[in-house]
Amino acid sequence: MLLRMKENTKLIVNGSFSFYYNCDINIFDGGRLTIGSGYTNCGTQIRCSNSITIGNNATIANNVVMIDSDYHTIKYEDGKKNIKSAPIFIGNNVWIGRESIILKGVNIGDGAVIAAHSVVTKNVLAKTIVAGNPAKVIKENINWY
């Protein structure tokens, strides 16, 4: 695992969390990464410029990407600009499938399942399965173990 922390960053670990080989974690200036319990399989990338929170009993498959910033400003035709970064919050007992991408501003509720290869751009309610690019609701009121 590779961990890089810039100035004025925080890494808070509230439980036992395992990172398997080739994980790459970057916390940039002013970023805060908070981790509960669980694990992430090999090759996961976390890019934290704002705030990323991972709850307890997290099950994160290999090659997942979490990124809470665009890192560039985009100016639109009407003169408005994008919101460059926004926090990511991942609840308890969440399962994130292989090669999924979790983007800025997303909240994933407790007990949710993110199917493999999903791109999550919007909030996911608790006990919901989402899949696809962009991720869409597949099933609600689920329980997984």
Side-chain angles (χ1 to χ4, degrees):
M1 181 186 102
L2 179 59
L3 172 64
R4 286 177 278 230
M5 296 177 67
K6 299 288 184 171
E7 293 182 32
N8 303 314
T9 61
K10 289 186 180 179
L11 172 60
I12 300 164
V13 182
N14 293 318
S16 176
F17 199 93
S18 297
F19 289 91
Y20 289 87
Y21 63 93
N22 291 335
C23 289
D24 185 357
I25 314 304
N26 282 279
I27 308 172
F28 297 103
D29 290 340
R32 176 185 174 120
L33 176 59
T34 305
I35 300 172
S37 63
Y39 72 92
T40 183
N41 213 322
C42 60
T44 290
Q45 296 180 28
I46 297 175
R47 302 292 183 264
C48 180
S49 290
N50 187 312
S51 173
I52 297 176
T53 301
I54 301 171
N56 292 314
N57 299 316
T59 300
I60 303 171
N62 57 316
N63 299 317
V64 167
V65 174
M66 295 179 204
I67 186 166
D68 69 358
S69 179
D70 293 334
Y71 296 103
H72 301 282
T73 300
I74 299 170
K75 187 174 179 182
Y76 301 108
E77 196 174 287
D78 62 4
K80 294 181 181 175
K81 296 178 183 178
N82 64 318
I83 296 172
K84 202 158 133 180
S85 68
I88 293 172
F89 179 83
I90 298 169
N92 298 319
N93 305 307
V94 171
W95 176 10
I96 301 175
R98 176 187 174 98
E99 296 179 1
S100 291
I101 301 171
I102 313 298
L103 295 176
K104 69 178 183 181
V106 168
N107 290 301
I108 300 175
D110 293 347
V113 175
I114 311 302
H117 302 276
S118 296
V119 178
V120 184
T121 61
K122 295 182 182 175
N123 293 344
V124 177
L125 296 177
K127 297 185 173 190
T128 300
I129 299 174
V130 298
N133 179 5
K136 294 184 176 156
V137 174
I138 301 299
K139 196 107 177 152
E140 297 176 304
N141 298 314
I142 58 101
N143 288 299
W144 74 274
Y145 331 34

